[in-house]
């Protein structure tokens, strides 16, 4: 596969752009929301908000396992643009850096937030994973293997 | 469950995969590449088709994410890409899920700030 994998999510938020930008960049605020489940806890958030500066967020999931995500800022244009690299210290799903772009556009309700997370196609990022498409592909592989081209 | 969650991107890939494998020469190429990296010239010879035809088939397989190729000197080396495709789709799915949940949390936080 030669193209980059990309996820784009848009969401309308009922607060002004600068409040959303602040939630993304103030470590005290990050500590209050940067989790992907209710049971998850945010243990620490360190932010060095300058281009080339790093961030590091320590999360603890419901099983008590610690997960760390970190990266560095590549674009900072308050209060509308924030771009940073994204990397898990340990992950079964991705290795190496990916890139997150957060765009905050003024909108009638407050803010239209567009988040773009890109994984660049490169050898080192590839890893088999037993979910989703790999299930279809396992079937496909079995099919291909059962065919005799000669 | 997984099939329901597929976005357009993935559905297109799926039909491309089946289209790509619907041709006996391309199926044979995938089968041959399972044994390891193989030069396009060698594939052409083994299939008794021209190099031009082989490269056309290769391009269809590459678009479907089933094979990839790299030019080394005057040769084009082909290899299988099944694992990478599976991995990318899994990454897309998991990344979308994770951000949607995280943005839910952001939304709740922003609204709670309003009340303060």
């Amino acid at each position: 596969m030669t193209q980059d994998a990309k996820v784009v999510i848009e969401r309308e938020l009922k607060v002004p752009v600068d409040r959303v930008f602040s939630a993304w960049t103030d470590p005290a605020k990050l500590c209050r929301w940067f989790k992907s489940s209710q049971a998850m806890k945010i243990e620490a958030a360190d932010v060095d908000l300058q281009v080339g500066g790093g961030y590091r967020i320590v999360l603890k999931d419901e099983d008590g396992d610690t997960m760390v995500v970190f990266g560095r800022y590549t674009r900072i244009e308050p209060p509308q643009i924030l771009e940073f690299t994204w990397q898990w210290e340990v992950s079964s799903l991705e290795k190496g850096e990916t890139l997150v772009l957060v765009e905050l556009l003024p909108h009638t309700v407050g803010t239209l937030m567009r988040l773009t997370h890109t994984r660049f196609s490169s050898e080192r990022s590839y890893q088999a994973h037993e979910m989703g498409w790999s299930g279809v592909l396992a079937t496909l592989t079995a099919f291909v293997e059962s065919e005799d081209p000669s | 469950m997984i099939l329901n969650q597929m976005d357009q991107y993935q559905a297109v890939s799926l039909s491309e995969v089946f289209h790509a494998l619907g041709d006996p020469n391309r199926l044979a190429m995938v089968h041959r590449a399972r044994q390891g990296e193989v030069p396009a010239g060698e594939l052409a010879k083994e299939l008794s088709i021209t190099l031009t035809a082989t490269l056309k088939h290769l391009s269809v397989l590459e678009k479907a994410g089933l094979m990839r190729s790299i030019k080394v000197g005057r040769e084009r080396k082909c290899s299988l890409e099944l694992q990478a495709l599976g991995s990318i789709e899994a990454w897309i799915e998991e990344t979308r899920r994770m951000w949607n949940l995280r943005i839910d949390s952001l939304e709740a936080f922003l609204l709670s700030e309003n009340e303060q």
Side-chain angles (χ1 to χ4, degrees):
Chain A
M1 201 120 161
T2 50
Q3 76 263 42
D4 299 334
K6 190 181 275 186
V7 169
V8 182
I9 296 170
E10 286 191 355
R11 192 82 72 93
E12 290 171 6
L13 299 166
K14 293 187 181 106
V15 297
V17 165
D18 57 341
R19 286 261 311 276
V20 184
F21 189 83
S22 166
W24 275 97
T25 51
D26 177 339
K29 291 183 180 178
L30 279 169
C31 276
R32 293 187 51 197
W33 71 268
F34 204 80
K35 53 186 177 180
S36 52
S37 86
Q38 283 292 328
M40 200 178 267
K41 286 196 172 66
I42 303 154
E43 304 252 291
D46 295 312
V47 168
D48 175 17
L49 192 65
Q50 53 177 320
V51 171
Y55 74 90
R56 190 170 186 275
I57 299 168
V58 183
L59 303 159
K60 192 166 264 186
D61 72 9
E62 44 265 59
D63 301 322
D65 292 328
T66 299
M67 296 174 294
V68 178
V69 65
F70 66 99
R72 63 201 151 73
Y73 295 103
T74 49
R75 261 179 93 187
I76 305 170
E77 293 165 30
Q80 290 194 287
I81 306 261
L82 185 68
E83 188 187 62
F84 48 92
T85 65
W86 175 274
Q87 193 165 7
W88 290 103
E89 270 190 5
V90 179
S91 169
S92 58
L93 203 59
E94 64 183 37
K95 276 186 180 169
E97 278 185 348
T98 55
L99 192 70
V100 178
L101 171 66
V102 179
E103 295 165 285
L104 306 172
L105 312 166
H107 189 269
T108 47
V109 301
T111 303
L112 175 67
M113 180 171 83
R114 184 189 300 130
L115 183 143
T116 307
H117 195 152
T118 309
R119 190 177 106 167
F120 300 101
S121 40
S122 77
E123 287 290 329
R124 66 195 170 96
S125 300
Y126 293 160
Q127 203 173 14
H129 197 265
E130 286 304 310
M131 66 185 286
W133 250 70
S134 54
V136 176
L137 288 162
T139 312
L140 200 56
T141 311
F143 166 72
V144 171
E145 285 175 2
S146 71
E147 291 284 304
D148 186 359
S150 55
Chain B
M1 151 223 176
I2 300 301
L3 283 167
N4 293 339
Q5 288 176 359
M6 277 195 195
D7 55 30
Q8 205 183 354
Y9 206 13
Q10 293 162 310
V12 169
S13 300
L14 186 58
S15 73
E16 275 181 359
V17 165
F18 288 113
H19 166 71
L21 292 174
D23 177 272
N25 280 322
R26 288 198 290 268
L27 195 57
M29 284 167 72
V30 171
H31 187 91
R32 174 62 182 82
R34 277 186 51 240
Q35 296 162 29
E37 202 176 61
V38 56
E42 202 175 307
L43 280 173
K45 207 178 288 175
E46 285 180 19
L47 295 170
S48 308
I49 58 175
T50 63
L51 182 60
T52 310
T54 306
L55 293 175
K56 270 186 194 162
H57 286 314
L58 179 63
S59 150
V60 175
L61 290 164
E62 285 187 311
K63 273 187 197 141
L66 290 162
M67 279 179 84
R68 67 194 140 102
S69 69
I70 181 167
K71 207 163 181 209
V72 182
R74 299 179 62 185
E75 262 180 2
R76 181 161 285 279
K77 295 196 167 179
C78 316
S79 49
L80 211 58
E81 188 76 314
L82 285 170
Q83 271 200 334
L85 183 61
S87 164
I88 283 173
E89 304 304 347
W91 178 86
I92 288 172
E93 201 172 288
E94 176 56 22
T95 300
R96 183 179 298 282
R97 192 187 68 86
M98 175 197 79
W99 280 117
N100 272 319
L101 291 167
R102 188 162 276 139
I103 294 168
D104 288 346
S105 174
L106 170 64
E107 203 166 15
F109 165 71
L110 290 169
L111 294 176
S112 79
E113 263 191 331
N114 273 353
E115 287 158 15
Q116 281 168 11

